[in-house]
Structure formats: C-alpha cells, structure tokens
Amino acid sequence: MRVHGFVRVAVTLCALNARARADDPLPSWNERASKSAITSFVAKVTEEGSAYFVRPADRVAVFDNDGTLWCEQPMYFQFLFALDRVKALAPRHPEWKDEEPFKSVLAGDPKSLAAGGEKAAAELIAATHAGMTTDEFNAAVKEWLRTARHAKYNRPYNRCVYQPMLELLAYLRANGFKTYVVSGGGVEFMRAFAEEAYGIPPEQVIGSAGVTRFEERDGGPVLVKDPKVLHVDDGPGKPAGINLFIGRRPVMAFGNSDGDLQMLQWTAAGPGPRFALLVHHTDADREYAYDRQSHVGKLDKALDEAARRGWTVVDMKKDWKRVFPET
Amino acid sequence: MRVHGFVRVAVTLCALNARARADDPLPSWNERASKSAITSFVAKVTEEGSAYFVRPADRVAVFDNDGTLWCEQPMYFQFLFALDRVKALAPRHPEWKDEEPFKSVLAGDPKSLAAGGEKAAAELIAATHAGMTTDEFNAAVKEWLRTARHAKYNRPYNRCVYQPMLELLAYLRANGFKTYVVSGGGVEFMRAFAEEAYGIPPEQVIGSAGVTRFEERDGGPVLVKDPKVLHVDDGPGKPAGINLFIGRRPVMAFGNSDGDLQMLQWTAAGPGPRFALLVHHTDADREYAYDRQSHVGKLDKALDEAARRGWTVVDMKKDWKRVFPET
C-alpha cells in the first residue's frame, strides 16, 4: 500500500507538473523573479474586485521594438535594409558610385561610411525611404525580409524575434491587454512585418514617421513619402508619440535602452498599478552582451533608473530558456 | 372564417412590422436610397463566402466630425471653445484687454475679430490650446462641455450630435467595423468627448495635432502642449493622417465638406468594395442649410465628385427622421 500510495502520489505530481507546463503561458521564461513579477502583476490587475483592477479598455501595454522584441545587433535592422536598398537601387542611380555616402555603401566600406556620421545616415534613409509611394515602400520592405538573412543567425530578420517576448505578447493579449509597438524605428517599416511577426496590427504600431503627400495620379490617388521628418519616436518622443497615437497612458511598458527611459517613466508615473521592464542583453553566446558603452541600444541611465524605481530588469542569459523561435 | 383569417393576417402583419421596427438598426433614417445603400453595402461585405466579403480586421470606417457627426454651425465648436476660453483666462492676462485678437473677443466684437482673419484665429488657438499640460487641457475641454450651451439648441455641444449618425456608428460596430473619427479638429479636443458621445475610444480619434514636449516636474513627468503645429488633418492631410495613425485604407468613409474630399477619394480608390458618403446639410428648420457658398463646411467640389463617382449623398431634410437625440 505504501508503495502503491507513493506511486499514486508520484503519478499525480507528474500529471500536475505536466499540466502546469502545458498551462504555462510563458514556457520560454525560467522560473525566476522577472517571470513572477510579470505574472503576479497581470493577475493583480485582471482580478475583478481587486483594489488593483484595471478595466479592459485601459489595459494598454507598449513595447519598444529594436532590442526588445527583435535583435538590434550588429546594427539596427532598418539601417541594414537601407544599405541593401542602396545596392538594389544603384543601377537606377549611376551617380551614386562617385557620391558619398552611397559610394562607401556600394564599395562595402563601413569605415568611410561611419566617418559620414549622422548626416550620412540621414541621407541614406532619405534616399531609400522617400520619393516613392507608401505601397511601393511596403513592397520593398517585404521583399527584403523575404530575401535578406541575418549574418550571425542565417535567418530572415523577422525571425530574429525573441521567443519569450512573443509569448509575453500573447499572454498579455489573452489577459485583455492591447499590445502596441512604440519604437524609434520607422512606422511604415515596422508595419510591413509587425502583424505577422508579433500579431500586432498596423494601427497599433507607433514609430518615427516622415511626411506623406497626397497626389492624384493616372492610376488613382497615392501617398508619396517625402524626405521630411514628422515625428522622431525616441526618448522623450516616445511619450509624445503615445499621447498622439493612443491618447491614454499605458499600464505596462517594455524597453531595453536609454531611448525607452521616458516611455517607462511616463508609464510608471500614472496613478494605480503600473509595470515597467527592461531587457538587459547579457547573453554573448546566444545573442549579444551590451549595455552602458554600446553604440546601438545603449543602456545606461535607464538601468540606473530601474534600480532606483524597482523596475523589472530581465537578465537575458538567466531569465530566458531560449532566445529565438525554432527556425 | 374569412374575417377571422383577415384579423389573423392583420395581426401577423402588425407583429412583423413591429418586429421590423424593433430590429431596424437605423430607426432615425427614412426608408430611402441613402439608408438602403448603407445597409446593402454592409450586408454585402459581411456575408461570408460573398465575392465582396471583407475580413473583420480590414473593416475600417472613418468619419469626419464637424458637420458629419456633430453640428458645425454657426461656427466650428472648437473655435467657440477658444473664444470662451479667452474669457475664462482673461483675469490671468490683464494685457489682453488692449491686445488683438483678445481685445475683440473680450469686447464681444465678432466683426473686428473676423477682420483679423486666419492670423487672429491661429493666435487664439495658440493662446488657448498650448502652454499647458495635456491633462490640464483635457480638464478645460470637459469643463466647457459641462457648462457651455449651443445658442440655437440650448443644449451642451456634445449633445448636438446627429442621432442618425450615432445609430450608424453602432450599426457598423455591430457588423465588425472599427469606427474612427478623422477630423480637422484638434485630436485632444475631440478625445475629451468622443468616447462618451460616439463610443469611439481615444486611440480611434485622429485629428489635427500640435507638438507636445516631455518635461520632468516635481509631481512627475508631464506632456506640455507647444504652440507648434505637427499635423493638419484636413483635405489632403486626411489620407496622410489615416496612413500615419491607422496604416491601412478604410473600407467606408463619411464626410460632409470639401475638407473630406481626399479622404473619400483615398477610401474609394482602394481595391474591392468601398463606400463613400456625404452628409448634405439641407435642413434650415431643424438644423442648417448650406453647401457651395458656406464659410464653414463648404461643400462644392466634393458634391460634384460625389455625382461623378456615384457616392451616396444624404439629404438631411428628407433622409433623416430626426436630427438630434432627445435632450
């Protein structure tokens, strides 16, 4: 009987354990403080009658994109798109082979390119992101995602998304949250893949934006992308973008760099329960390790602020069982 | 038996008629072409398997506000708010009694005010819509709506909304449409009442917008409204605004003036079934009658385009059983 009883208990425990795993909405998160901070917050704000209850209409969660939902190394993917786009457009621009910054891009000379600084970057973005219709740009991004591969992972860039964050997005939506991307990246660049990659529809993607111009053409009206910047959705531009596009303060905010600091501050400063989280890139093997000194995704002031305010900081190496989805 | 049969038929017909009325999602619309154009379009795009079926995610309907969802006479309500706001703020601005355009506003002299033209209007908007936090502005609009009354109707401005359009919004939402306001009015002005008046949440209100500035204050971070214009959501700015905020082309568009022309063109030019409608203000008794010559809500080019394209034109006097909700 004792043996029988032990077996029965063991079987029951195994079954419970399997059920717990099957029921676990965040299977790629290790059982550590970050995970329980998330799940206990969500439990608290979704429990009707609780003092912390947040009505469904107010359940807004905002996510930075580069370095938070997808990888941003060795360089912001949108910049890699711009470089590839220069190469693709070069046959139509014979003058580029003698003109900087295009010359350096075409010659594959990152050093001279870097010497051009922000001015060069702005020229590249203008040449590759403007002077075409919104439909043409969308098609160009989709074609690039279909064909280009990340050098380290040899997979399409839109598969270099973080599996634990995909689970988190789905988990929040299952709990009545409306999930938004709020990123310094270009809004039209991100909308070309956000719905498929993250389950986030275009109207919930907020980003940097240029001016578009309505034009009547033979085939009907079009919107043409002008090289003029309308909104820079980075740093203090993030709360401004949230206010402009959403018009209400988020309850949860997720970022990974100093560019997300004001978004997290703005979110955390609201009345009632608020949640702020930073992804700390600590995993040089499976991904990249960088923070205070990085040129891409610098995390310095926000890391200090997180310590001061008690925000959740994800240690990618320790907190995540896996980084990317299967292939 | 014949009499009995007749009575039975009559009773049955009455019951069917009552049921039809009870089931009618648009009871304030007369049974005319405008109403049937709307209902037959909606039936067509929501019927699974139909060649015209539109998947729920793409069911986007955009509505102009001034003159389409609420009255815009004798003047845009937001401008009346600005005038009242000057009066409310005057004690803090003693210099205004000698400075135009404030002097004319405070003296109740619409003629000199009008002489100031667009420059005067821009100064009034800047003085009453900037230099405060977004929360302070929201509170000011709500207080005005609570206390101010429309001169002709003696009711709060947010009750000068069109009952037939409220029914239309609810009907479209019941059929899986996401309803948006897309207006030349200020986005933050409209968000202060759109949820309560129209059932449209802030994130589905698109409008003209100024720059906001993130600022850290003692009580925590705030967004301060700057007097700088970011986006003018009127005329060609409407399709640009739709592209910026929603990122997909609407299936249905509703307007009432030339400021809506490009929004209707952009919507109607999409592939697949599209619907465009203009509200024509033809009812001088119950509301106002105006079109090609009006300074507010001028309807001229768009009326010609509607005839050319076969868009639906609502004749307010004939198509609407009633104009406003009970009190």
Side-chain angles (χ1 to χ4, degrees), chain B residues 244-261:
Chain B
L244 177 64
F245 283 75
I246 311 180
R248 53 176 134 214
R249 198 189 294 247
V251 171
M252 304 182 83
F254 303 84
N256 77 299
S257 79
D258 284 359
D260 304 313
L261 174 58

Side-chain angles (χ1 to χ4, degrees), chain B residues 54 200 215 303:
Chain B
V54 174
I200 297 182
E215 211 176 81
L303 200 54

Side-chain angles (χ1 to χ4, degrees), chain B residues 57-213:
Chain B
D58 289 325
R59 290 184 202 157
V60 170
V62 289
F63 290 80
D64 167 59
N65 186 42
D66 298 306
T68 300
L69 292 179
W70 76 357
C71 178
E72 61 184 349
Q73 300 285 359
M75 215 184 286
Y76 296 120
F77 293 176
Q78 191 174 356
F79 192 68
L80 297 173
F81 162 74
L83 298 185
D84 284 349
R85 195 76 192 134
V86 166
K87 291 170 200 158
L89 294 172
R92 284 190 247 163
H93 294 274
E95 74 282 8
W96 281 357
K97 69 178 190 301
D98 305 309
E99 254 176 34
E100 289 296 3
F102 309 101
K103 189 181 163 184
S104 299
V105 175
L106 296 173
D109 182 353
K111 220 167 165 181
S112 343
L113 182 60
E118 285 196 12
K119 188 172 165 285
E123 279 179 61
L124 288 176
I125 294 289
T128 54
H129 287 65
M132 70 200 85
T133 70
T134 48
D135 285 346
E136 287 163 354
F137 181 73
N138 182 276
V141 177
K142 286 194 162 138
E143 176 62 12
W144 179 76
L145 289 170
R146 201 179 62 74
T147 53
R149 294 291 177 271
H150 189 283
K152 178 169 174 176
Y153 304 114
N154 191 33
R155 55 162 78 193
Y157 289 96
N158 53 345
R159 296 299 289 161
C160 299
V161 294
Y162 302 133
Q163 176 64 26
M165 298 305 280
L166 298 182
E167 293 166 8
L168 179 54
L169 287 168
Y171 169 63
L172 292 180
R173 288 193 291 259
N175 280 281
F177 278 85
K178 210 162 171 178
T179 54
Y180 285 83
V181 172
V182 178
S183 169
V187 66
E188 301 201 70
F189 179 78
M190 297 186 292
R191 283 174 175 165
F193 64 86
E195 190 150 28
E196 204 189 319
Y198 307 135
I200 297 182
E203 64 270 26
Q204 286 161 232
V205 176
I206 299 169
S208 295
V211 170
T212 57
R213 184 169 27 89

Side-chain angles (χ1 to χ4, degrees), chain A residues 70-180:
Chain A
W70 78 358
C71 177
E72 61 185 349
Q73 299 288 358
M75 215 184 288
Y76 296 121
F77 293 176
Q78 191 174 356
F79 192 67
L80 297 174
F81 162 75
L83 298 185
D84 285 347
R85 195 76 192 133
V86 166
K87 291 171 202 158
L89 293 173
R92 283 190 248 163
H93 293 274
E95 74 282 8
W96 281 357
K97 66 179 194 299
D98 304 310
E99 253 176 34
E100 290 295 0
F102 309 102
K103 191 181 162 185
S104 299
V105 175
L106 296 173
D109 182 352
K111 220 168 167 182
S112 345
L113 183 61
E118 285 196 14
K119 188 172 164 286
E123 280 178 62
L124 288 176
I125 294 289
T128 54
H129 286 65
M132 70 199 86
T133 69
T134 49
D135 286 345
E136 287 163 354
F137 181 73
N138 182 276
V141 177
K142 285 193 164 141
E143 176 62 12
W144 180 75
L145 289 170
R146 201 179 62 74
T147 53
R149 295 291 178 272
H150 189 282
K152 177 168 175 176
Y153 304 114
N154 191 32
R155 56 163 77 194
Y157 289 96
N158 53 345
R159 297 298 290 162
C160 298
V161 294
Y162 302 133
Q163 176 63 26
M165 298 305 280
L166 297 181
E167 294 166 6
L168 178 54
L169 286 167
Y171 169 63
L172 292 179
R173 287 193 290 259
N175 280 281
F177 277 86
K178 210 163 170 176
T179 53
Y180 285 83

